[in-house]
Amino acid sequence: MPRFPFALASLLQLGSLSAVAASPVQPAAADIFVETAFRLGVPRDYASASGLHHVREPQQLALIGGRDALGYAQRLIPQAARAWARMREAAAREGVELRAVSTFRSVEAQLAIVRAKLARGQTIDAILRVNAAPGYSEHHSGRAIDIGTSGYAPTEEEFERSPAFAWLKRNAAAYGFDLSYPRGNPHALAYEPWHWYWRGDDAESTLPLTELAASNDSPAPTNLFTRSR
Ligand SMILES: [Zn+2]
Protein backbone atom coordinates (compact mmCIF):
# COMPACT_ATOMS: atom_id res chain seq x y z
CA MET A 1 0.00 0.00 0.00
CA PRO A 2 1.33 3.48 -0.74
CA ARG A 3 2.48 5.63 2.14
CA PHE A 4 -0.62 7.79 1.80
CA PRO A 5 -3.99 6.32 0.81
CA PHE A 6 -6.04 7.83 -1.97
CA ALA A 7 -8.05 9.58 0.69
CA LEU A 8 -5.33 12.13 1.28
CA ALA A 9 -5.38 13.19 -2.34
CA SER A 10 -9.15 13.50 -2.13
CA LEU A 11 -8.94 15.57 1.02
CA LEU A 12 -6.59 18.01 -0.64
CA GLN A 13 -9.42 18.88 -3.00
CA LEU A 14 -11.74 19.78 -0.13
CA GLY A 15 -10.91 23.41 0.25
CA SER A 16 -13.82 24.37 2.48
CA LEU A 17 -12.79 22.74 5.74
CA SER A 18 -10.94 25.71 7.09
CA ALA A 19 -13.20 26.66 10.01
CA VAL A 20 -11.69 23.95 12.17
CA ALA A 21 -8.80 21.83 11.00
CA ALA A 22 -10.06 18.29 10.58
CA SER A 23 -6.83 16.70 9.48
CA PRO A 24 -4.51 14.86 11.82
CA VAL A 25 -1.95 17.20 13.27
CA GLN A 26 1.47 16.61 14.74
CA PRO A 27 1.25 15.25 18.27
CA ALA A 28 2.81 18.36 19.74
CA ALA A 29 0.15 20.51 18.07
CA ALA A 30 -2.67 18.31 19.38
CA ASP A 31 -1.17 18.60 22.85
CA ILE A 32 -1.54 22.37 22.66
CA PHE A 33 -5.29 21.94 22.16
CA VAL A 34 -5.43 19.55 25.13
CA GLU A 35 -3.61 22.09 27.26
CA THR A 36 -5.95 24.84 26.07
CA ALA A 37 -8.90 22.77 27.23
CA PHE A 38 -7.36 22.46 30.70
CA ARG A 39 -6.98 26.23 30.80
CA LEU A 40 -10.66 26.54 29.88
CA GLY A 41 -11.56 24.57 32.99
CA VAL A 42 -11.22 20.87 32.26
CA PRO A 43 -10.04 19.44 35.61
CA ARG A 44 -6.38 18.45 35.66
CA ASP A 45 -7.35 15.06 37.08
CA TYR A 46 -9.82 14.50 34.22
CA ALA A 47 -8.23 11.24 33.04
CA SER A 48 -8.30 9.52 36.41
CA ALA A 49 -11.70 10.95 37.30
CA SER A 50 -13.34 9.97 34.00
CA GLY A 51 -11.55 6.71 33.29
CA LEU A 52 -10.88 7.95 29.76
CA HIS A 53 -7.44 7.67 28.22
CA HIS A 54 -5.43 10.21 26.27
CA VAL A 55 -5.94 9.37 22.58
CA ARG A 56 -3.49 10.17 19.78
CA GLU A 57 -4.58 11.13 16.28
CA PRO A 58 -3.60 8.68 13.52
CA GLN A 59 -1.15 9.34 10.71
CA GLN A 60 -3.51 8.05 8.01
CA LEU A 61 -7.23 8.30 7.43
CA ALA A 62 -9.44 6.98 4.64
CA LEU A 63 -12.66 8.54 3.41
CA ILE A 64 -15.72 6.37 3.89
CA GLY A 65 -18.15 8.71 2.10
CA GLY A 66 -20.65 11.17 3.51
CA ARG A 67 -20.18 14.10 5.85
CA ASP A 68 -20.91 14.69 9.49
CA ALA A 69 -22.99 17.52 10.94
CA LEU A 70 -20.01 19.87 11.02
CA GLY A 71 -19.45 19.28 7.31
CA TYR A 72 -16.35 17.14 7.67
CA ALA A 73 -15.81 14.22 5.35
CA GLN A 74 -16.33 10.98 7.28
CA ARG A 75 -13.00 9.21 7.85
CA LEU A 76 -11.56 6.24 9.71
CA ILE A 77 -8.10 4.71 9.71
CA PRO A 78 -7.84 2.57 6.56
CA GLN A 79 -8.15 -0.77 8.37
CA ALA A 80 -11.25 0.33 10.25
CA ALA A 81 -12.69 1.83 7.07
CA ARG A 82 -12.39 -1.55 5.36
CA ALA A 83 -13.96 -3.36 8.31
CA TRP A 84 -16.81 -0.82 8.38
CA ALA A 85 -17.48 -1.29 4.66
CA ARG A 86 -17.61 -5.07 5.05
CA MET A 87 -19.87 -4.85 8.09
CA ARG A 88 -22.19 -2.31 6.48
CA GLU A 89 -22.52 -4.46 3.36
CA ALA A 90 -23.18 -7.61 5.39
CA ALA A 91 -25.95 -5.84 7.30
CA ALA A 92 -27.42 -4.51 4.06
CA ARG A 93 -27.59 -8.04 2.66
CA GLU A 94 -29.83 -8.88 5.61
CA GLY A 95 -31.97 -5.80 5.04
CA VAL A 96 -30.44 -3.77 7.88
CA GLU A 97 -29.23 -0.22 7.25
CA LEU A 98 -26.11 0.96 9.09
CA ARG A 99 -25.25 4.62 8.64
CA ALA A 100 -22.07 6.41 9.71
CA VAL A 101 -23.11 9.37 11.86
CA SER A 102 -19.69 10.48 13.13
CA THR A 103 -16.20 9.09 12.69
CA PHE A 104 -12.76 10.68 13.11
CA ARG A 105 -12.78 13.95 15.02
CA SER A 106 -9.61 15.92 15.65
CA VAL A 107 -8.59 17.19 19.09
CA GLU A 108 -8.95 20.69 17.66
CA ALA A 109 -12.53 19.99 16.54
CA GLN A 110 -13.40 18.64 20.00
CA LEU A 111 -11.97 21.81 21.51
CA ALA A 112 -14.15 23.85 19.14
CA ILE A 113 -17.24 22.00 20.41
CA VAL A 114 -16.30 22.77 24.02
CA ARG A 115 -15.59 26.42 23.20
CA ALA A 116 -18.92 26.79 21.39
CA LYS A 117 -20.83 25.40 24.36
CA LEU A 118 -18.94 27.63 26.80
CA ALA A 119 -19.77 30.59 24.59
CA ARG A 120 -23.45 29.64 24.85
CA GLY A 121 -23.19 29.78 28.64
CA GLN A 122 -22.86 26.11 29.54
CA THR A 123 -20.57 25.21 32.43
CA ILE A 124 -17.56 23.00 31.86
CA ASP A 125 -19.06 20.40 34.22
CA ALA A 126 -22.25 20.24 32.16
CA ILE A 127 -20.28 19.98 28.94
CA LEU A 128 -18.06 17.18 30.22
CA ARG A 129 -21.08 15.13 31.21
CA VAL A 130 -21.84 14.57 27.50
CA ASN A 131 -18.60 15.49 25.69
CA ALA A 132 -15.19 13.96 26.19
CA ALA A 133 -12.53 16.51 27.01
CA PRO A 134 -10.34 17.37 24.00
CA GLY A 135 -7.65 14.70 23.75
CA TYR A 136 -9.78 12.03 25.44
CA SER A 137 -12.35 11.10 22.80
CA GLU A 138 -12.10 7.71 21.13
CA HIS A 139 -13.06 9.58 17.96
CA HIS A 140 -9.55 11.10 17.86
CA SER A 141 -8.20 7.63 17.08
CA GLY A 142 -9.97 7.17 13.75
CA ARG A 143 -11.24 3.84 15.09
CA ALA A 144 -14.51 4.98 16.67
CA ILE A 145 -17.77 5.33 14.75
CA ASP A 146 -21.17 6.53 15.83
CA ILE A 147 -23.69 4.40 13.96
CA GLY A 148 -27.24 5.37 13.11
CA THR A 149 -30.11 4.05 11.04
CA SER A 150 -33.24 5.47 9.41
CA GLY A 151 -36.17 6.14 11.71
CA TYR A 152 -34.13 6.59 14.89
CA ALA A 153 -32.64 9.86 16.12
CA PRO A 154 -28.83 9.80 15.83
CA THR A 155 -26.78 9.55 19.03
CA GLU A 156 -29.89 9.02 21.14
CA GLU A 157 -30.59 6.05 23.39
CA GLU A 158 -33.60 5.06 21.27
CA PHE A 159 -31.07 3.59 18.81
CA GLU A 160 -30.92 0.55 21.09
CA ARG A 161 -34.46 -0.36 19.98
CA SER A 162 -33.53 -0.36 16.27
CA PRO A 163 -33.01 -3.45 14.09
CA ALA A 164 -29.55 -2.01 13.39
CA PHE A 165 -28.56 -2.23 17.05
CA ALA A 166 -29.90 -5.77 17.33
CA TRP A 167 -27.85 -6.71 14.27
CA LEU A 168 -24.72 -5.05 15.66
CA LYS A 169 -25.04 -6.89 18.97
CA ARG A 170 -25.08 -10.19 17.09
CA ASN A 171 -22.49 -9.42 14.43
CA ALA A 172 -20.24 -6.42 15.11
CA ALA A 173 -17.62 -8.40 17.04
CA ALA A 174 -16.98 -10.55 13.97
CA TYR A 175 -15.88 -7.36 12.17
CA GLY A 176 -13.76 -6.14 15.07
CA PHE A 177 -16.22 -3.56 16.47
CA ASP A 178 -17.08 -3.38 20.18
CA LEU A 179 -19.56 -1.22 22.08
CA SER A 180 -17.40 1.19 24.10
CA TYR A 181 -19.92 2.38 26.67
CA PRO A 182 -22.47 -0.32 27.47
CA ARG A 183 -24.98 0.02 30.25
CA GLY A 184 -23.30 -0.16 33.63
CA ASN A 185 -19.82 0.32 32.18
CA PRO A 186 -17.03 0.44 34.78
CA HIS A 187 -16.27 4.08 34.04
CA ALA A 188 -19.84 5.10 34.95
CA LEU A 189 -20.07 6.84 31.58
CA ALA A 190 -23.41 7.39 29.92
CA TYR A 191 -24.75 4.45 27.92
CA GLU A 192 -24.04 4.99 24.21
CA PRO A 193 -25.54 2.21 22.09
CA TRP A 194 -24.46 4.07 18.92
CA HIS A 195 -20.72 4.34 19.70
CA TRP A 196 -18.57 1.45 18.41
CA TYR A 197 -14.78 1.08 18.42
CA TRP A 198 -12.75 -0.98 15.99
CA ARG A 199 -10.31 -3.25 17.83
CA GLY A 200 -9.37 -5.46 14.90
CA ASP A 201 -5.88 -5.88 13.56
CA ASP A 202 -4.45 -4.51 10.35
CA ALA A 203 -5.05 -7.61 8.22
CA GLU A 204 -8.83 -7.54 8.53
CA SER A 205 -9.82 -7.01 4.94
CA THR A 206 -8.54 -6.81 1.39
CA LEU A 207 -11.22 -4.49 0.01
CA PRO A 208 -9.43 -1.76 -1.96
CA LEU A 209 -9.68 1.68 -0.43
CA THR A 210 -10.95 3.13 -3.67
CA GLU A 211 -14.20 1.22 -3.20
CA LEU A 212 -14.96 2.76 0.16
CA ALA A 213 -15.79 6.37 -0.59
CA ALA A 214 -19.15 5.85 -2.26
CA SER A 215 -20.52 3.50 0.36
CA ASN A 216 -22.06 5.99 2.76
CA ASP A 217 -23.95 8.69 0.94
CA SER A 218 -26.61 9.32 3.55
CA PRO A 219 -27.21 12.94 4.57
CA ALA A 220 -25.68 14.16 7.79
CA PRO A 221 -27.97 14.44 10.81
CA THR A 222 -28.49 17.89 12.23
CA ASN A 223 -28.46 17.33 15.97
CA LEU A 224 -25.00 15.85 16.15
CA PHE A 225 -22.52 16.85 18.84
CA THR A 226 -25.08 17.48 21.47
CA ARG A 227 -23.22 14.40 22.60
CA SER A 228 -19.72 13.73 21.39
CA ARG A 229 -17.86 11.37 23.59
ZN1 LIG B 1 -19.11 8.43 19.58
Side-chain angles (χ1 to χ4, degrees), residues 102-103 105 137-139 144-147 155 180-181 192 194-196 224 227-229:
S102 181
T103 51
R105 192 183 315 131
S137 170
E138 284 191 344
H139 286 280
I145 181 167
D146 293 338
I147 298 174
T155 66
S180 292
Y181 309 118
E192 293 195 356
W194 59 85
H195 180 110
W196 296 76
L224 190 57
R227 293 183 175 138
S228 61
R229 187 165 284 124

Side-chain angles (χ1 to χ4, degrees), residues 84-106:
W84 161 249
R86 289 172 57 227
M87 182 167 77
R88 188 176 169 280
E89 287 158 12
R93 283 195 294 274
E94 297 179 34
V96 173
E97 180 207 32
L98 302 181
R99 177 183 290 184
V101 171
S102 181
T103 51
F104 169 75
R105 192 183 315 131
S106 69

Side-chain angles (χ1 to χ4, degrees), residues 84 88 91-100 147-152 159 162-165 167-168 216 218-219:
W84 161 249
R88 188 176 169 280
R93 283 195 294 274
E94 297 179 34
V96 173
E97 180 207 32
L98 302 181
R99 177 183 290 184
I147 298 174
T149 196
S150 295
Y152 295 82
F159 179 69
S162 69
F165 184 68
W167 190 93
L168 287 166
N216 187 64
S218 53

Side-chain angles (χ1 to χ4, degrees), residues 107-158:
V107 177
E108 186 176 14
Q110 191 79 1
L111 178 63
I113 292 169
V114 171
R115 279 188 189 282
K117 289 188 169 186
L118 286 170
R120 291 203 298 265
Q122 294 191 31
T123 65
I124 196 75
D125 287 348
I127 295 166
L128 294 179
R129 276 197 285 277
V130 292
N131 298 98
Y136 295 86
S137 170
E138 284 191 344
H139 286 280
H140 300 329
S141 69
R143 290 169 171 260
I145 181 167
D146 293 338
I147 298 174
T149 196
S150 295
Y152 295 82
T155 66
E156 295 290 343
E157 207 169 290
E158 67 179 50

